[in-house]
Amino acid sequence: TVQSIVYDPDRSVIVLFSGEGGLDDTWEFDGVHWHEINPPHKPSGRSGFAATWDAGPRRMMLFGGAGMAGNVNDETWFYDGTDWTYVAADPYSPPDLYGHAMAYNTQEQTTVLYGGVESPYMSTETCLWDGQKWAGVDSPANPGEIMSHCMAYMESLDGVVLHGGWQRDAPGGMNDKLWLFRDQTWNELNPPVIPGPKAGAEMVYDSIRERLVLFGL
C-alpha cells in the first residue's frame, strides 16, 4: 500500500495519506473536491502501512510502514482533521511492520492488527488497540504468515473478516482463505462462494446492504 484512504464520518470527508515515491501528503475529499492539508506534524513518507478509523477517540489511525530507505517502523499516528499526533509505545507496541492490515471492531471497540512482515520474518501476531494502548493476543489458530491481505469489520458477524494475502506456501504465492476474528479468536470461514486468491485488494463493509465489498488484485 503506497497510500491509504479512510472515511471520517464526523466531518464527512475521505482522508488520504502518503503517495507515490514515499511522499508524506495528507489530502481530504469532501465529495466534490480534493484539498491538500498541511498539518504542523505528520508521519514521514512511507509505504506498506495500515490505516483505519478509530471510532473511540474519533480519529484516523495509522501504524507502521517502510520508508524509501527501507527502514521499517512501529510508529502509531493519529489524524484528527487538524494535525497528526504520534503516540509512543507504552508499555507495548506491535513490532516494526509493513504489509500488515488493520480494521476497527465496532462491537468490541478495538482496532485489530494482523500479519505483515517483521523483517526478515513474516508476523503471525494479532494486536489490539483499545483507544489508549496496544496489547498482544494469543489465539489458538490464526491466518498464518501473510502480507498485503485485507480486513474489514462485518456487523452481522460481530467481528473482523480477513481475506487473502501473499503467503509463501500458497499456490502462486497468494491465498483465498477467509477468516473471522471475534472474541479474540481467529476462525476460518468456509462460505459456498469465496473470492479467488488476492493480494493488495481492499475490502469495506456496506452497512446499508449488510455485506462486504472487495475490490482489487
Side-chain angles (χ1 to χ4, degrees):
T1 304
V2 178
Q3 66 275 332
S4 184
I5 58 174
V6 172
Y7 180 65
D8 180 339
D10 291 348
R11 298 185 300 121
S12 300
V13 297
I14 290 172
V15 181
L16 179 150
F17 174 75
S18 196
E20 203 66 50
L23 299 180
D24 58 2
D25 293 357
T26 301
W27 290 78
E28 292 185 357
F29 181 67
D30 60 12
V32 180
H33 302 292
W34 282 100
H35 305 276
E36 185 172 6
I37 310 300
N38 294 292
H41 309 92
K42 57 186 174 181
S44 58
R46 62 193 65 193
S47 62
F49 59 91
T52 189
W53 174 253
D54 185 350
R58 316 297 299 178
R59 55 190 180 178
M60 176 179 175
M61 178 179 184
L62 180 152
F63 180 84
M68 288 295 290
N71 55 305
V72 184
N73 71 78
D74 63 351
E75 295 176 352
T76 303
W77 287 84
F78 293 94
Y79 177 69
D80 62 4
T82 302
D83 198 8
W84 283 96
T85 304
Y86 168 72
V87 177
D90 181 23
Y92 167 83
S93 173
D96 299 348
L97 287 174
Y98 70 92
H100 50 293
M102 295 195 308
Y104 185 77
N105 185 322
T106 304
Q107 178 70 21
E108 299 182 358
Q109 298 182 349
T110 56
T111 295
V112 182
L113 181 154
Y114 183 80
V117 178
E118 179 185 355
S119 186
Y121 308 104
M122 300 281 281
S123 174
T124 59
E125 187 172 8
T126 303
C127 301
L128 300 182
W129 172 264
D130 65 4
Q132 295 183 324
K133 62 184 185 301
W134 284 104
V137 176
D138 290 324
S139 174
N142 62 56
E145 297 181 340
I146 55 174
M147 66 175 292
S148 300
H149 45 292
C150 54
M151 288 168 46
Y153 175 73
M154 188 168 187
E155 186 175 349
S156 60
L157 294 178
D158 289 333
V160 170
V161 175
L162 179 153
H163 179 264
W166 291 109
Q167 189 169 24
R168 290 194 183 101
D169 57 357
M174 292 186 291
N175 81 76
D176 63 351
K177 293 181 179 179
L178 199 67
W179 289 79
L180 173 69
F181 185 75
R182 182 174 60 196
D183 299 328
Q184 300 196 8
T185 303
W186 285 104
N187 288 287
E188 188 172 356
L189 302 176
N190 294 287
V193 178
I194 195 168
K198 295 183 182 296
E202 296 290 340
M203 186 165 63
V204 297
Y205 180 63
D206 181 344
S207 60
I208 303 299
R209 298 172 179 83
E210 297 185 351
R211 60 187 179 184
L212 293 172
V213 178
L214 185 150
F215 179 82
L217 303 177

